[in-house]
Amino acid sequence: MASLKTWCLLPLSVLILQFITPTETEVVATVSKCNDFFFENVPPQIKSIMPNGKIMNRVRFKVICQTYENDKRFVTVYDITNKIPVFSAYKYKGAKEGAKEGRPKEWKIEPQLENSKKGPNMEDSEKDEYTNQASDKDYRWEDKTGKKIKEYKNFNRGHLFPSSYASDENDKESTFTLTNIVPQSITFNSGSWGEMEKCVKKKILDNSCLNKEAFVVTGAIPSNNKTGKINIPSVLWSAFCCYSAKLKRTVAGAHWGDNIAEDPKQPKQLKMKTLEELKEQFHIDVFPGKECPREEIIEDLDGEEL
């Protein structure tokens, strides 16, 4: 019987997390504003950043209840200094029947990060530069003529809440906010990280979790490197927790990988880890409650389903 570890050791074909209690953007002051996106309504915890659930630096870190078309879609903790999110948390619900394929094209920003009097809905990125967040232009570069704008050669926009995990068109649109994006190595994004996302979605979220419902948190650990004014994360990490219909118990797991270029000729693998291993490695307690197993990885795969 193969284990889920094996299924998610996929080939390449192709910030220490710093948390604050969500404050409305909507930019909010209490986690109750958008705690539906956390398992058991309990947010992740970081010993040196949020001791006893209290925010240490409310000026730098902003909590965004990511709002699109007047509905809160997910929650992001955003670092206005590094201009990248430290994590996005969301409730996976599976694709709605009849949901269209494809990816949105317009990139959005959080207006309340620039002006607290603005409304809660994310807006299109129309300026070349913003004070507290990245713009669409920050992820592009000009050629020698100064006329032609292109994507960066080595990095592209890495979603923390993947558009492929969204349940419908509006949820997909909401993931295309630059407050949900980090500079990610192109070959890492399309390689081992992208394959891990597909594996977790297919083998766990869709085929094991009861009603295809799960809680997922994905984050980025900042480095000392930048592209323009945006920090380039050194590591991306992700963790899930759900109730397995087949195993009749709650299951959980975590992955992380270095945000560096990968060689397609030498396939790279991301091995599933436990929640406890994630905590020991990065001091990230993603699901602090007692329900999600901390030292257990899902076993007993039978065919393609748990």
Side-chain angles (χ1 to χ4, degrees):
M1 191 76 69
S3 72
L4 191 57
K5 279 187 178 181
T6 304
W7 278 108
C8 289
L9 294 181
L10 296 175
L12 172 64
S13 58
V14 193
L15 282 24
I16 292 297
L17 165 68
Q18 302 181 35
F19 179 78
I20 59 173
T21 304
T23 63
E24 218 169 36
T25 36
E26 202 178 83
V27 178
V28 287
T30 64
V31 73
S32 62
K33 293 286 186 175
C34 42
N35 67 350
D36 289 345
F37 302 107
F38 301 115
F39 188 84
E40 296 182 320
N41 302 129
V42 179
Q45 296 179 1
I46 300 300
K47 182 179 180 180
S48 61
I49 303 302
M50 197 181 90
N52 300 318
K54 294 183 179 180
I55 304 167
M56 294 185 66
N57 190 342
R58 293 177 180 270
V59 175
R60 176 173 177 175
F61 299 100
K62 306 297 182 181
V63 177
I64 305 172
C65 291
Q66 299 281 13
T67 305
Y68 180 71
E69 296 290 336
N70 296 315
D71 282 336
K72 294 182 177 72
R73 309 285 171 167
F74 61 106
V75 58
T76 297
V77 175
Y78 193 78
D79 180 349
I80 66 171
T81 299
N82 283 326
K83 292 180 172 53
I84 58 173
V86 291
F87 77 78
S88 287
Y90 42 99
K91 186 175 182 180
Y92 183 84
K93 297 172 287 187
K96 289 184 178 179
E97 186 175 352
K100 296 180 180 178
E101 298 291 335
R103 289 161 58 90
K105 296 181 179 179
E106 298 298 325
W107 289 95
K108 301 173 179 60
I109 54 94
E110 175 47 62
Q112 290 185 352
L113 286 181
E114 305 302 314
N115 184 345
S116 62
K117 295 181 180 180
K118 287 276 192 176
N121 286 295
M122 54 184 70
E123 299 177 352
D124 289 344
S125 176
E126 297 179 342
K127 295 182 179 181
D128 288 344
E129 185 173 352
Y130 294 95
T131 301
N132 295 319
Q133 60 195 303
S135 71
D136 180 43
K137 190 175 180 181
D138 287 326
Y139 280 88
R140 301 176 181 273
W141 58 278
E142 296 182 357
D143 65 13
K144 293 181 180 180
T145 66
K147 296 179 181 180
K148 198 170 184 178
I149 305 296
K150 301 179 180 180
E151 297 290 338
Y152 277 97
K153 291 182 178 180
N154 299 322
F155 297 92
N156 59 11
R157 306 167 205 236
H159 285 71
L160 296 192
F161 177 8
S163 63
S164 61
Y165 280 29
S167 62
D168 58 25
E169 289 90 339
N170 283 339
D171 276 355
K172 282 188 177 182
E173 289 284 350
S174 74
T175 68
F176 271 67
T177 172
L178 292 160
T179 53
N180 181 48
I181 302 300
V182 299
Q184 188 171 6
S185 169
I186 293 174
T187 50
F188 173 49
N189 193 358
S190 62
S192 63
W193 187 258
E195 292 299 326
M196 177 277 293
E197 288 181 334
K198 292 176 185 176
C199 174
V200 171
K201 182 177 186 294
K202 180 179 179 181
K203 305 297 182 181
I204 305 170
L205 305 182
D206 285 340
N207 289 332
S208 177
C209 297
L210 181 64
N211 298 323
K212 297 184 179 181
E213 292 185 352
F215 288 87
V216 186
V217 185
T218 304
I221 297 174
S223 71
N224 294 321
N225 298 318
K226 291 185 177 182
T227 174
K229 63 182 181 181
I230 309 173
N231 188 279
I232 302 172
S234 59
V235 173
L236 295 188
W237 60 267
S238 186
F240 67 86
C241 183
C242 75
Y243 183 82
S244 169
K246 181 171 183 179
L247 298 179
K248 294 181 171 52
R249 59 182 173 82
T250 304
V251 296
H255 294 84
W256 63 83
D258 294 328
N259 186 25
I260 57 177
E262 298 179 351
D263 184 353
K265 296 180 180 179
Q266 296 180 341
K268 190 174 180 180
Q269 302 171 335
L270 292 184
K271 184 177 181 180
M272 184 178 290
K273 305 286 189 177
T274 66
L275 298 182
E276 190 62 29
E277 287 176 303
L278 179 65
K279 183 179 179 180
E280 291 176 358
Q281 183 74 20
F282 301 114
H283 306 290
I284 301 169
D285 194 355
V286 185
F287 304 114
K290 297 180 180 179
E291 188 67 24
C292 299
R294 309 187 64 80
E295 298 183 5
E296 178 184 21
I297 291 180
I298 311 170
E299 303 287 341
D300 299 325
L301 264 178
D302 184 11
E304 293 192 357
E305 295 187 358
L306 282 167

